Amino acid sequence: DIQMTQSPSSLSASVGDRVTITCRASQSIGRYLNWYQQKPGKAPKLLIYAASSFQSGVPSRFSGSGSGTDFTLTISSLQPEDFATYYCQQSYSTPRTFGQGTKLEIK
Amino acid sequence: EVQLVESGGGLVQPGGSLRLSCAASGFTFSTYSMNWVRQAPGKGLEWVSYISSSSSSIYYADSVKGRFTISRDNAKNSLYLQMNSLRAEDTAVYYCTRGDCTGGVCSFDYWGQGTLVTVSS
């Protein structure tokens, strides 16, 4: 199975900050990487697929990059509604696996 | 509007069975693959099972293989998960998710609200 490791596991930041979350795969997965946002008590929401493609309706302050084993999710200017937990997920092989999550909290 | 509505969760004793359902609407159900993803209380996300649009391909996580069975009824726009021999570690919110493979990369593009399964005596 492909292991996905996110860093950091938690992060405190302020509104307006630029934030970067990293995801590393245990083997090369090309660009088969997706990012999800989950707010407390809610279902996850797809933000970015194929490493850098925006899901419809996702604000442009979110961006994704990377290929192979190293990927990043960047939020250019944090908004109050962005405080949530973020997960990466590989779709290169089955079983599909997720990172452990990065909880983004208000400083 | 795409909607996925799960039902069937509840409290069950260890060793018991439960059948989850997911009612889909707002899209052509028969043309999409579907998945179940679960989340234990306070934990991360775990993919559970996949079924292709025609049911010709089915996959399971090792943690549920031999105990869970995924199925679908395209005439009823419904997805199911039959869960047998339930264990305490199966306690989780179970999400029904649509699989989309835009540009050749598959993702879980729509999620239901989830249904809670609690396995406890």
PDB file of all heavy atoms in Angstrom, chain A residues 31-32 34 36 38 42-44 46 49-50 55 87 89 91 94-96 98, chain B residues 37 39 43-47 59 95 102 104-109 111-113:
ATOM      1  N   ARG A  31       0.894  12.404 -10.856  1.00  0.00           N
ATOM      2  CA  ARG A  31       0.069  13.524 -10.407  1.00  0.00           C
ATOM      3  C   ARG A  31      -1.276  13.021  -9.880  1.00  0.00           C
ATOM      4  O   ARG A  31      -2.260  13.744  -9.862  1.00  0.00           O
ATOM      5  CB  ARG A  31      -0.129  14.525 -11.541  1.00  0.00           C
ATOM      6  CG  ARG A  31       1.179  15.194 -11.960  1.00  0.00           C
ATOM      7  CD  ARG A  31       0.983  16.183 -13.093  1.00  0.00           C
ATOM      8  NE  ARG A  31       0.150  17.312 -12.735  1.00  0.00           N
ATOM      9  CZ  ARG A  31       0.565  18.377 -12.056  1.00  0.00           C
ATOM     10  NH1 ARG A  31       1.814  18.454 -11.646  1.00  0.00           N
ATOM     11  NH2 ARG A  31      -0.271  19.367 -11.802  1.00  0.00           N
ATOM     12  N   TYR A  32      -1.295  11.765  -9.439  1.00  0.00           N
ATOM     13  CA  TYR A  32      -2.520  11.141  -8.950  1.00  0.00           C
ATOM     14  C   TYR A  32      -2.774  11.500  -7.482  1.00  0.00           C
ATOM     15  O   TYR A  32      -2.802  10.635  -6.596  1.00  0.00           O
ATOM     16  CB  TYR A  32      -2.463   9.624  -9.132  1.00  0.00           C
ATOM     17  CG  TYR A  32      -2.544   9.189 -10.576  1.00  0.00           C
ATOM     18  CD1 TYR A  32      -1.415   9.225 -11.402  1.00  0.00           C
ATOM     19  CD2 TYR A  32      -3.749   8.735 -11.104  1.00  0.00           C
ATOM     20  CE1 TYR A  32      -1.498   8.830 -12.726  1.00  0.00           C
ATOM     21  CE2 TYR A  32      -3.835   8.336 -12.427  1.00  0.00           C
ATOM     22  CZ  TYR A  32      -2.711   8.384 -13.234  1.00  0.00           C
ATOM     23  OH  TYR A  32      -2.792   7.999 -14.536  1.00  0.00           O
ATOM     24  N   ASN A  34      -5.040  14.099  -4.776  1.00  0.00           N
ATOM     25  CA  ASN A  34      -6.186  14.969  -4.541  1.00  0.00           C
ATOM     26  C   ASN A  34      -6.117  15.571  -3.146  1.00  0.00           C
ATOM     27  O   ASN A  34      -5.522  14.976  -2.241  1.00  0.00           O
ATOM     28  CB  ASN A  34      -7.480  14.164  -4.677  1.00  0.00           C
ATOM     29  CG  ASN A  34      -7.555  13.409  -5.986  1.00  0.00           C
ATOM     30  OD1 ASN A  34      -7.356  13.972  -7.057  1.00  0.00           O
ATOM     31  ND2 ASN A  34      -7.833  12.113  -5.904  1.00  0.00           N
ATOM     32  N   TYR A  36      -8.578  17.415  -0.032  1.00  0.00           N
ATOM     33  CA  TYR A  36      -9.926  17.597   0.495  1.00  0.00           C
ATOM     34  C   TYR A  36      -9.868  18.503   1.722  1.00  0.00           C
ATOM     35  O   TYR A  36      -8.879  18.509   2.465  1.00  0.00           O
ATOM     36  CB  TYR A  36     -10.542  16.255   0.911  1.00  0.00           C
ATOM     37  CG  TYR A  36     -10.636  15.250  -0.211  1.00  0.00           C
ATOM     38  CD1 TYR A  36      -9.556  14.441  -0.529  1.00  0.00           C
ATOM     39  CD2 TYR A  36     -11.787  15.141  -0.981  1.00  0.00           C
ATOM     40  CE1 TYR A  36      -9.618  13.537  -1.576  1.00  0.00           C
ATOM     41  CE2 TYR A  36     -11.864  14.243  -2.033  1.00  0.00           C
ATOM     42  CZ  TYR A  36     -10.772  13.439  -2.321  1.00  0.00           C
ATOM     43  OH  TYR A  36     -10.848  12.552  -3.363  1.00  0.00           O
ATOM     44  N   GLN A  38     -12.136  19.376   5.225  1.00  0.00           N
ATOM     45  CA  GLN A  38     -13.228  18.914   6.074  1.00  0.00           C
ATOM     46  C   GLN A  38     -13.397  19.856   7.269  1.00  0.00           C
ATOM     47  O   GLN A  38     -12.457  20.099   8.012  1.00  0.00           O
ATOM     48  CB  GLN A  38     -12.982  17.491   6.580  1.00  0.00           C
ATOM     49  CG  GLN A  38     -14.173  16.942   7.369  1.00  0.00           C
ATOM     50  CD  GLN A  38     -13.963  15.512   7.844  1.00  0.00           C
ATOM     51  OE1 GLN A  38     -12.856  15.096   8.151  1.00  0.00           O
ATOM     52  NE2 GLN A  38     -15.048  14.750   7.901  1.00  0.00           N
ATOM     53  N   LYS A  42     -18.859  17.889   9.344  1.00  0.00           N
ATOM     54  CA  LYS A  42     -19.276  17.902   7.944  1.00  0.00           C
ATOM     55  C   LYS A  42     -18.510  16.862   7.139  1.00  0.00           C
ATOM     56  O   LYS A  42     -17.459  16.381   7.558  1.00  0.00           O
ATOM     57  CB  LYS A  42     -19.036  19.283   7.329  1.00  0.00           C
ATOM     58  CG  LYS A  42     -19.793  20.411   8.022  1.00  0.00           C
ATOM     59  CD  LYS A  42     -21.286  20.281   7.851  1.00  0.00           C
ATOM     60  CE  LYS A  42     -22.018  21.486   8.392  1.00  0.00           C
ATOM     61  NZ  LYS A  42     -23.494  21.346   8.251  1.00  0.00           N
ATOM     62  N   ALA A  43     -19.041  16.544   5.969  1.00  0.00           N
ATOM     63  CA  ALA A  43     -18.338  15.638   5.062  1.00  0.00           C
ATOM     64  C   ALA A  43     -17.166  16.363   4.408  1.00  0.00           C
ATOM     65  O   ALA A  43     -17.193  17.584   4.242  1.00  0.00           O
ATOM     66  CB  ALA A  43     -19.300  15.132   3.988  1.00  0.00           C
ATOM     67  N   PRO A  44     -16.141  15.630   4.032  1.00  0.00           N
ATOM     68  CA  PRO A  44     -15.049  16.242   3.270  1.00  0.00           C
ATOM     69  C   PRO A  44     -15.551  16.796   1.946  1.00  0.00           C
ATOM     70  O   PRO A  44     -16.569  16.348   1.405  1.00  0.00           O
ATOM     71  CB  PRO A  44     -14.080  15.076   3.044  1.00  0.00           C
ATOM     72  CG  PRO A  44     -14.379  14.123   4.150  1.00  0.00           C
ATOM     73  CD  PRO A  44     -15.852  14.234   4.352  1.00  0.00           C
ATOM     74  N   LEU A  46     -14.034  17.986  -1.954  1.00  0.00           N
ATOM     75  CA  LEU A  46     -12.897  17.965  -2.871  1.00  0.00           C
ATOM     76  C   LEU A  46     -12.493  19.387  -3.239  1.00  0.00           C
ATOM     77  O   LEU A  46     -13.323  20.182  -3.666  1.00  0.00           O
ATOM     78  CB  LEU A  46     -13.265  17.188  -4.136  1.00  0.00           C
ATOM     79  CG  LEU A  46     -12.211  17.130  -5.247  1.00  0.00           C
ATOM     80  CD1 LEU A  46     -10.969  16.374  -4.780  1.00  0.00           C
ATOM     81  CD2 LEU A  46     -12.794  16.495  -6.502  1.00  0.00           C
ATOM     82  N   TYR A  49      -7.876  18.240  -7.613  1.00  0.00           N
ATOM     83  CA  TYR A  49      -7.607  16.904  -8.111  1.00  0.00           C
ATOM     84  C   TYR A  49      -6.446  16.955  -9.091  1.00  0.00           C
ATOM     85  O   TYR A  49      -6.094  18.020  -9.595  1.00  0.00           O
ATOM     86  CB  TYR A  49      -8.868  16.304  -8.763  1.00  0.00           C
ATOM     87  CG  TYR A  49      -9.354  17.044  -9.979  1.00  0.00           C
ATOM     88  CD1 TYR A  49      -8.974  16.641 -11.261  1.00  0.00           C
ATOM     89  CD2 TYR A  49     -10.198  18.147  -9.857  1.00  0.00           C
ATOM     90  CE1 TYR A  49      -9.415  17.333 -12.376  1.00  0.00           C
ATOM     91  CE2 TYR A  49     -10.640  18.836 -10.971  1.00  0.00           C
ATOM     92  CZ  TYR A  49     -10.244  18.413 -12.230  1.00  0.00           C
ATOM     93  OH  TYR A  49     -10.689  19.102 -13.341  1.00  0.00           O
ATOM     94  N   ALA A  50      -5.861  15.806  -9.335  1.00  0.00           N
ATOM     95  CA  ALA A  50      -4.712  15.712 -10.244  1.00  0.00           C
ATOM     96  C   ALA A  50      -3.621  16.708  -9.866  1.00  0.00           C
ATOM     97  O   ALA A  50      -3.028  17.360 -10.729  1.00  0.00           O
ATOM     98  CB  ALA A  50      -5.161  15.899 -11.694  1.00  0.00           C
ATOM     99  N   GLN A  55     -11.304  21.989  -8.342  1.00  0.00           N
ATOM    100  CA  GLN A  55     -12.685  21.534  -8.427  1.00  0.00           C
ATOM    101  C   GLN A  55     -13.555  22.775  -8.614  1.00  0.00           C
ATOM    102  O   GLN A  55     -13.236  23.869  -8.130  1.00  0.00           O
ATOM    103  CB  GLN A  55     -13.070  20.779  -7.143  1.00  0.00           C
ATOM    104  CG  GLN A  55     -14.501  20.306  -7.081  1.00  0.00           C
ATOM    105  CD  GLN A  55     -14.822  19.214  -8.101  1.00  0.00           C
ATOM    106  OE1 GLN A  55     -14.052  18.941  -9.011  1.00  0.00           O
ATOM    107  NE2 GLN A  55     -15.970  18.583  -7.937  1.00  0.00           N
ATOM    108  N   TYR A  87      -6.891  17.012   3.948  1.00  0.00           N
ATOM    109  CA  TYR A  87      -6.379  15.667   3.689  1.00  0.00           C
ATOM    110  C   TYR A  87      -5.893  15.557   2.246  1.00  0.00           C
ATOM    111  O   TYR A  87      -6.573  16.021   1.325  1.00  0.00           O
ATOM    112  CB  TYR A  87      -7.466  14.611   3.887  1.00  0.00           C
ATOM    113  CG  TYR A  87      -7.971  14.450   5.294  1.00  0.00           C
ATOM    114  CD1 TYR A  87      -9.078  15.161   5.741  1.00  0.00           C
ATOM    115  CD2 TYR A  87      -7.351  13.570   6.177  1.00  0.00           C
ATOM    116  CE1 TYR A  87      -9.559  15.002   7.037  1.00  0.00           C
ATOM    117  CE2 TYR A  87      -7.820  13.408   7.475  1.00  0.00           C
ATOM    118  CZ  TYR A  87      -8.921  14.127   7.890  1.00  0.00           C
ATOM    119  OH  TYR A  87      -9.389  13.966   9.173  1.00  0.00           O
ATOM    120  N   GLN A  89      -4.866  12.632  -0.726  1.00  0.00           N
ATOM    121  CA  GLN A  89      -5.293  11.260  -1.044  1.00  0.00           C
ATOM    122  C   GLN A  89      -4.715  10.858  -2.393  1.00  0.00           C
ATOM    123  O   GLN A  89      -4.771  11.647  -3.341  1.00  0.00           O
ATOM    124  CB  GLN A  89      -6.818  11.181  -1.081  1.00  0.00           C
ATOM    125  CG  GLN A  89      -7.399   9.858  -1.544  1.00  0.00           C
ATOM    126  CD  GLN A  89      -8.029   9.938  -2.921  1.00  0.00           C
ATOM    127  OE1 GLN A  89      -8.595  10.958  -3.295  1.00  0.00           O
ATOM    128  NE2 GLN A  89      -7.946   8.865  -3.686  1.00  0.00           N
ATOM    129  N   SER A  91      -4.651   8.498  -5.786  1.00  0.00           N
ATOM    130  CA  SER A  91      -5.522   7.647  -6.605  1.00  0.00           C
ATOM    131  C   SER A  91      -4.686   6.911  -7.655  1.00  0.00           C
ATOM    132  O   SER A  91      -5.175   6.553  -8.724  1.00  0.00           O
ATOM    133  CB  SER A  91      -6.618   8.474  -7.263  1.00  0.00           C
ATOM    134  OG  SER A  91      -6.066   9.486  -8.061  1.00  0.00           O
ATOM    135  N   THR A  94      -4.906   1.024  -5.812  1.00  0.00           N
ATOM    136  CA  THR A  94      -5.832   0.556  -4.790  1.00  0.00           C
ATOM    137  C   THR A  94      -5.040  -0.265  -3.781  1.00  0.00           C
ATOM    138  O   THR A  94      -4.230  -1.110  -4.186  1.00  0.00           O
ATOM    139  CB  THR A  94      -6.934  -0.314  -5.431  1.00  0.00           C
ATOM    140  OG1 THR A  94      -7.642   0.501  -6.367  1.00  0.00           O
ATOM    141  CG2 THR A  94      -7.904  -0.822  -4.383  1.00  0.00           C
ATOM    142  N   PRO A  95      -5.215  -0.083  -2.469  1.00  0.00           N
ATOM    143  CA  PRO A  95      -6.242   0.756  -1.866  1.00  0.00           C
ATOM    144  C   PRO A  95      -5.927   2.241  -1.935  1.00  0.00           C
ATOM    145  O   PRO A  95      -4.769   2.639  -1.833  1.00  0.00           O
ATOM    146  CB  PRO A  95      -6.236   0.294  -0.402  1.00  0.00           C
ATOM    147  CG  PRO A  95      -4.822  -0.135  -0.164  1.00  0.00           C
ATOM    148  CD  PRO A  95      -4.394  -0.782  -1.448  1.00  0.00           C
ATOM    149  N   ARG A  96      -6.961   3.031  -2.170  1.00  0.00           N
ATOM    150  CA  ARG A  96      -6.802   4.475  -2.089  1.00  0.00           C
ATOM    151  C   ARG A  96      -6.428   4.821  -0.650  1.00  0.00           C
ATOM    152  O   ARG A  96      -7.023   4.293   0.285  1.00  0.00           O
ATOM    153  CB  ARG A  96      -8.106   5.194  -2.440  1.00  0.00           C
ATOM    154  CG  ARG A  96      -8.711   4.832  -3.787  1.00  0.00           C
ATOM    155  CD  ARG A  96      -7.782   4.984  -4.929  1.00  0.00           C
ATOM    156  NE  ARG A  96      -8.479   5.058  -6.208  1.00  0.00           N
ATOM    157  CZ  ARG A  96      -7.941   4.687  -7.358  1.00  0.00           C
ATOM    158  NH1 ARG A  96      -6.705   4.218  -7.396  1.00  0.00           N
ATOM    159  NH2 ARG A  96      -8.629   4.806  -8.474  1.00  0.00           N
ATOM    160  N   PHE A  98      -5.238   7.927   2.287  1.00  0.00           N
ATOM    161  CA  PHE A  98      -5.259   9.329   2.670  1.00  0.00           C
ATOM    162  C   PHE A  98      -4.071   9.643   3.585  1.00  0.00           C
ATOM    163  O   PHE A  98      -3.581   8.760   4.312  1.00  0.00           O
ATOM    164  CB  PHE A  98      -6.534   9.646   3.457  1.00  0.00           C
ATOM    165  CG  PHE A  98      -7.807   9.582   2.659  1.00  0.00           C
ATOM    166  CD1 PHE A  98      -8.475   8.381   2.497  1.00  0.00           C
ATOM    167  CD2 PHE A  98      -8.353  10.725   2.084  1.00  0.00           C
ATOM    168  CE1 PHE A  98      -9.662   8.308   1.770  1.00  0.00           C
ATOM    169  CE2 PHE A  98      -9.533  10.676   1.371  1.00  0.00           C
ATOM    170  CZ  PHE A  98     -10.180   9.468   1.214  1.00  0.00           C
TER     171      PHE A  98
ATOM    172  N   VAL B  37     -16.292   5.413   2.144  1.00  0.00           N
ATOM    173  CA  VAL B  37     -15.139   5.904   2.907  1.00  0.00           C
ATOM    174  C   VAL B  37     -15.617   6.079   4.341  1.00  0.00           C
ATOM    175  O   VAL B  37     -16.725   6.566   4.562  1.00  0.00           O
ATOM    176  CB  VAL B  37     -14.617   7.241   2.342  1.00  0.00           C
ATOM    177  CG1 VAL B  37     -13.484   7.796   3.215  1.00  0.00           C
ATOM    178  CG2 VAL B  37     -14.133   7.068   0.900  1.00  0.00           C
ATOM    179  N   GLN B  39     -14.758   7.133   8.649  1.00  0.00           N
ATOM    180  CA  GLN B  39     -13.963   7.965   9.554  1.00  0.00           C
ATOM    181  C   GLN B  39     -14.314   7.621  10.989  1.00  0.00           C
ATOM    182  O   GLN B  39     -15.430   7.901  11.441  1.00  0.00           O
ATOM    183  CB  GLN B  39     -14.231   9.440   9.277  1.00  0.00           C
ATOM    184  CG  GLN B  39     -13.347  10.396  10.059  1.00  0.00           C
ATOM    185  CD  GLN B  39     -13.481  11.832   9.563  1.00  0.00           C
ATOM    186  OE1 GLN B  39     -14.567  12.281   9.182  1.00  0.00           O
ATOM    187  NE2 GLN B  39     -12.382  12.566   9.552  1.00  0.00           N
ATOM    188  N   LYS B  43     -10.723  10.557  14.161  1.00  0.00           N
ATOM    189  CA  LYS B  43      -9.616  10.038  13.343  1.00  0.00           C
ATOM    190  C   LYS B  43      -9.709  10.520  11.904  1.00  0.00           C
ATOM    191  O   LYS B  43     -10.590  11.302  11.541  1.00  0.00           O
ATOM    192  CB  LYS B  43      -9.628   8.496  13.371  1.00  0.00           C
ATOM    193  CG  LYS B  43      -9.519   7.906  14.765  1.00  0.00           C
ATOM    194  CD  LYS B  43      -8.213   8.255  15.447  1.00  0.00           C
ATOM    195  CE  LYS B  43      -8.096   7.565  16.796  1.00  0.00           C
ATOM    196  NZ  LYS B  43      -6.829   7.957  17.497  1.00  0.00           N
ATOM    197  N   GLY B  44      -8.789  10.027  11.080  1.00  0.00           N
ATOM    198  CA  GLY B  44      -8.746  10.420   9.684  1.00  0.00           C
ATOM    199  C   GLY B  44      -9.653   9.573   8.809  1.00  0.00           C
ATOM    200  O   GLY B  44     -10.465   8.777   9.285  1.00  0.00           O
ATOM    201  N   LEU B  45      -9.493   9.764   7.505  1.00  0.00           N
ATOM    202  CA  LEU B  45     -10.337   9.108   6.516  1.00  0.00           C
ATOM    203  C   LEU B  45      -9.729   7.786   6.060  1.00  0.00           C
ATOM    204  O   LEU B  45      -8.513   7.682   5.866  1.00  0.00           O
ATOM    205  CB  LEU B  45     -10.513  10.033   5.307  1.00  0.00           C
ATOM    206  CG  LEU B  45     -11.166  11.381   5.620  1.00  0.00           C
ATOM    207  CD1 LEU B  45     -11.005  12.324   4.429  1.00  0.00           C
ATOM    208  CD2 LEU B  45     -12.618  11.210   5.971  1.00  0.00           C
ATOM    209  N   GLU B  46     -10.587   6.779   5.876  1.00  0.00           N
ATOM    210  CA  GLU B  46     -10.151   5.461   5.412  1.00  0.00           C
ATOM    211  C   GLU B  46     -11.069   4.999   4.297  1.00  0.00           C
ATOM    212  O   GLU B  46     -12.278   4.853   4.508  1.00  0.00           O
ATOM    213  CB  GLU B  46     -10.158   4.447   6.555  1.00  0.00           C
ATOM    214  CG  GLU B  46      -9.727   3.051   6.119  1.00  0.00           C
ATOM    215  CD  GLU B  46      -9.923   1.983   7.190  1.00  0.00           C
ATOM    216  OE1 GLU B  46     -10.677   2.218   8.151  1.00  0.00           O
ATOM    217  OE2 GLU B  46      -9.320   0.908   7.060  1.00  0.00           O
ATOM    218  N   TRP B  47     -10.509   4.754   3.121  1.00  0.00           N
ATOM    219  CA  TRP B  47     -11.292   4.178   2.028  1.00  0.00           C
ATOM    220  C   TRP B  47     -11.675   2.748   2.397  1.00  0.00           C
ATOM    221  O   TRP B  47     -10.843   1.992   2.921  1.00  0.00           O
ATOM    222  CB  TRP B  47     -10.474   4.207   0.744  1.00  0.00           C
ATOM    223  CG  TRP B  47     -11.088   3.425  -0.364  1.00  0.00           C
ATOM    224  CD1 TRP B  47     -12.095   3.813  -1.192  1.00  0.00           C
ATOM    225  CD2 TRP B  47     -10.732   2.101  -0.748  1.00  0.00           C
ATOM    226  NE1 TRP B  47     -12.387   2.794  -2.076  1.00  0.00           N
ATOM    227  CE2 TRP B  47     -11.570   1.736  -1.823  1.00  0.00           C
ATOM    228  CE3 TRP B  47      -9.795   1.173  -0.293  1.00  0.00           C
ATOM    229  CZ2 TRP B  47     -11.492   0.494  -2.449  1.00  0.00           C
ATOM    230  CZ3 TRP B  47      -9.711  -0.064  -0.915  1.00  0.00           C
ATOM    231  CH2 TRP B  47     -10.546  -0.393  -1.978  1.00  0.00           C
ATOM    232  N   TYR B  59     -13.621  -3.639  -5.270  1.00  0.00           N
ATOM    233  CA  TYR B  59     -12.417  -3.730  -4.446  1.00  0.00           C
ATOM    234  C   TYR B  59     -12.768  -3.414  -2.996  1.00  0.00           C
ATOM    235  O   TYR B  59     -13.690  -2.656  -2.715  1.00  0.00           O
ATOM    236  CB  TYR B  59     -11.343  -2.746  -4.926  1.00  0.00           C
ATOM    237  CG  TYR B  59     -10.924  -2.948  -6.358  1.00  0.00           C
ATOM    238  CD1 TYR B  59     -11.365  -2.086  -7.350  1.00  0.00           C
ATOM    239  CD2 TYR B  59     -10.082  -3.996  -6.715  1.00  0.00           C
ATOM    240  CE1 TYR B  59     -10.983  -2.262  -8.669  1.00  0.00           C
ATOM    241  CE2 TYR B  59      -9.697  -4.177  -8.034  1.00  0.00           C
ATOM    242  CZ  TYR B  59     -10.155  -3.315  -9.006  1.00  0.00           C
ATOM    243  OH  TYR B  59      -9.778  -3.499 -10.303  1.00  0.00           O
ATOM    244  N   TYR B  95     -19.258   7.267   4.810  1.00  0.00           N
ATOM    245  CA  TYR B  95     -19.638   8.193   3.759  1.00  0.00           C
ATOM    246  C   TYR B  95     -19.762   7.450   2.432  1.00  0.00           C
ATOM    247  O   TYR B  95     -18.887   6.659   2.060  1.00  0.00           O
ATOM    248  CB  TYR B  95     -18.592   9.282   3.579  1.00  0.00           C
ATOM    249  CG  TYR B  95     -18.428  10.235   4.740  1.00  0.00           C
ATOM    250  CD1 TYR B  95     -17.362  10.117   5.627  1.00  0.00           C
ATOM    251  CD2 TYR B  95     -19.323  11.283   4.937  1.00  0.00           C
ATOM    252  CE1 TYR B  95     -17.193  11.000   6.674  1.00  0.00           C
ATOM    253  CE2 TYR B  95     -19.170  12.176   5.988  1.00  0.00           C
ATOM    254  CZ  TYR B  95     -18.103  12.021   6.850  1.00  0.00           C
ATOM    255  OH  TYR B  95     -17.943  12.911   7.892  1.00  0.00           O
ATOM    256  N   THR B 102     -11.935  12.611 -14.013  1.00  0.00           N
ATOM    257  CA  THR B 102     -11.644  13.667 -14.975  1.00  0.00           C
ATOM    258  C   THR B 102     -10.161  13.685 -15.315  1.00  0.00           C
ATOM    259  O   THR B 102      -9.311  13.664 -14.424  1.00  0.00           O
ATOM    260  CB  THR B 102     -12.050  15.031 -14.403  1.00  0.00           C
ATOM    261  OG1 THR B 102     -13.452  15.023 -14.129  1.00  0.00           O
ATOM    262  CG2 THR B 102     -11.734  16.149 -15.385  1.00  0.00           C
ATOM    263  N   GLY B 104      -8.353  11.440 -16.341  1.00  0.00           N
ATOM    264  CA  GLY B 104      -7.666  10.200 -16.017  1.00  0.00           C
ATOM    265  C   GLY B 104      -7.265  10.050 -14.565  1.00  0.00           C
ATOM    266  O   GLY B 104      -6.759   8.993 -14.167  1.00  0.00           O
ATOM    267  N   VAL B 105      -7.473  11.110 -13.753  1.00  0.00           N
ATOM    268  CA  VAL B 105      -7.153  11.019 -12.323  1.00  0.00           C
ATOM    269  C   VAL B 105      -8.462  10.933 -11.560  1.00  0.00           C
ATOM    270  O   VAL B 105      -9.312  11.808 -11.665  1.00  0.00           O
ATOM    271  CB  VAL B 105      -6.339  12.236 -11.847  1.00  0.00           C
ATOM    272  CG1 VAL B 105      -6.082  12.148 -10.348  1.00  0.00           C
ATOM    273  CG2 VAL B 105      -5.027  12.310 -12.617  1.00  0.00           C
ATOM    274  N   CYS B 106      -8.621   9.881 -10.798  1.00  0.00           N
ATOM    275  CA  CYS B 106      -9.879   9.649 -10.085  1.00  0.00           C
ATOM    276  C   CYS B 106      -9.878  10.334  -8.725  1.00  0.00           C
ATOM    277  O   CYS B 106      -8.843  10.396  -8.048  1.00  0.00           O
ATOM    278  CB  CYS B 106     -10.124   8.156  -9.921  1.00  0.00           C
ATOM    279  SG  CYS B 106     -10.268   7.289 -11.491  1.00  0.00           S
ATOM    280  N   SER B 107     -11.033  10.825  -8.342  1.00  0.00           N
ATOM    281  CA  SER B 107     -11.191  11.471  -7.045  1.00  0.00           C
ATOM    282  C   SER B 107     -12.575  11.159  -6.512  1.00  0.00           C
ATOM    283  O   SER B 107     -13.426  10.616  -7.229  1.00  0.00           O
ATOM    284  CB  SER B 107     -11.001  12.988  -7.160  1.00  0.00           C
ATOM    285  OG  SER B 107     -12.004  13.538  -7.979  1.00  0.00           O
ATOM    286  N   PHE B 108     -12.801  11.505  -5.251  1.00  0.00           N
ATOM    287  CA  PHE B 108     -14.123  11.394  -4.642  1.00  0.00           C
ATOM    288  C   PHE B 108     -14.738  12.797  -4.718  1.00  0.00           C
ATOM    289  O   PHE B 108     -14.455  13.632  -3.858  1.00  0.00           O
ATOM    290  CB  PHE B 108     -14.011  10.914  -3.201  1.00  0.00           C
ATOM    291  CG  PHE B 108     -13.202   9.654  -3.035  1.00  0.00           C
ATOM    292  CD1 PHE B 108     -12.144   9.605  -2.145  1.00  0.00           C
ATOM    293  CD2 PHE B 108     -13.504   8.525  -3.772  1.00  0.00           C
ATOM    294  CE1 PHE B 108     -11.392   8.449  -1.988  1.00  0.00           C
ATOM    295  CE2 PHE B 108     -12.749   7.357  -3.622  1.00  0.00           C
ATOM    296  CZ  PHE B 108     -11.695   7.331  -2.724  1.00  0.00           C
ATOM    297  N   ASP B 109     -15.531  13.060  -5.761  1.00  0.00           N
ATOM    298  CA  ASP B 109     -15.916  14.443  -6.010  1.00  0.00           C
ATOM    299  C   ASP B 109     -17.178  14.891  -5.272  1.00  0.00           C
ATOM    300  O   ASP B 109     -17.399  16.085  -5.105  1.00  0.00           O
ATOM    301  CB  ASP B 109     -15.994  14.744  -7.503  1.00  0.00           C
ATOM    302  CG  ASP B 109     -17.129  14.028  -8.211  1.00  0.00           C
ATOM    303  OD1 ASP B 109     -17.640  13.020  -7.665  1.00  0.00           O
ATOM    304  OD2 ASP B 109     -17.504  14.471  -9.314  1.00  0.00           O
ATOM    305  N   TRP B 111     -19.707  13.826  -1.752  1.00  0.00           N
ATOM    306  CA  TRP B 111     -19.823  13.009  -0.549  1.00  0.00           C
ATOM    307  C   TRP B 111     -21.213  13.183   0.059  1.00  0.00           C
ATOM    308  O   TRP B 111     -21.781  14.272   0.029  1.00  0.00           O
ATOM    309  CB  TRP B 111     -18.799  13.453   0.499  1.00  0.00           C
ATOM    310  CG  TRP B 111     -17.369  13.314   0.096  1.00  0.00           C
ATOM    311  CD1 TRP B 111     -16.742  13.912  -0.972  1.00  0.00           C
ATOM    312  CD2 TRP B 111     -16.368  12.555   0.761  1.00  0.00           C
ATOM    313  NE1 TRP B 111     -15.422  13.550  -1.006  1.00  0.00           N
ATOM    314  CE2 TRP B 111     -15.159  12.727   0.056  1.00  0.00           C
ATOM    315  CE3 TRP B 111     -16.363  11.750   1.894  1.00  0.00           C
ATOM    316  CZ2 TRP B 111     -13.964  12.103   0.437  1.00  0.00           C
ATOM    317  CZ3 TRP B 111     -15.179  11.143   2.292  1.00  0.00           C
ATOM    318  CH2 TRP B 111     -13.996  11.313   1.560  1.00  0.00           C
ATOM    319  N   GLY B 112     -21.735  12.098   0.636  1.00  0.00           N
ATOM    320  CA  GLY B 112     -22.954  12.226   1.412  1.00  0.00           C
ATOM    321  C   GLY B 112     -22.647  12.834   2.769  1.00  0.00           C
ATOM    322  O   GLY B 112     -21.492  13.144   3.085  1.00  0.00           O
ATOM    323  N   GLN B 113     -23.674  12.984   3.590  1.00  0.00           N
ATOM    324  CA  GLN B 113     -23.501  13.582   4.911  1.00  0.00           C
ATOM    325  C   GLN B 113     -22.974  12.573   5.941  1.00  0.00           C
ATOM    326  O   GLN B 113     -22.541  12.953   7.015  1.00  0.00           O
ATOM    327  CB  GLN B 113     -24.829  14.186   5.413  1.00  0.00           C
ATOM    328  CG  GLN B 113     -25.783  13.219   6.107  1.00  0.00           C
ATOM    329  CD  GLN B 113     -26.460  12.236   5.160  1.00  0.00           C
ATOM    330  OE1 GLN B 113     -26.361  12.340   3.935  1.00  0.00           O
ATOM    331  NE2 GLN B 113     -27.174  11.279   5.729  1.00  0.00           N
TER     332      GLN B 113
END
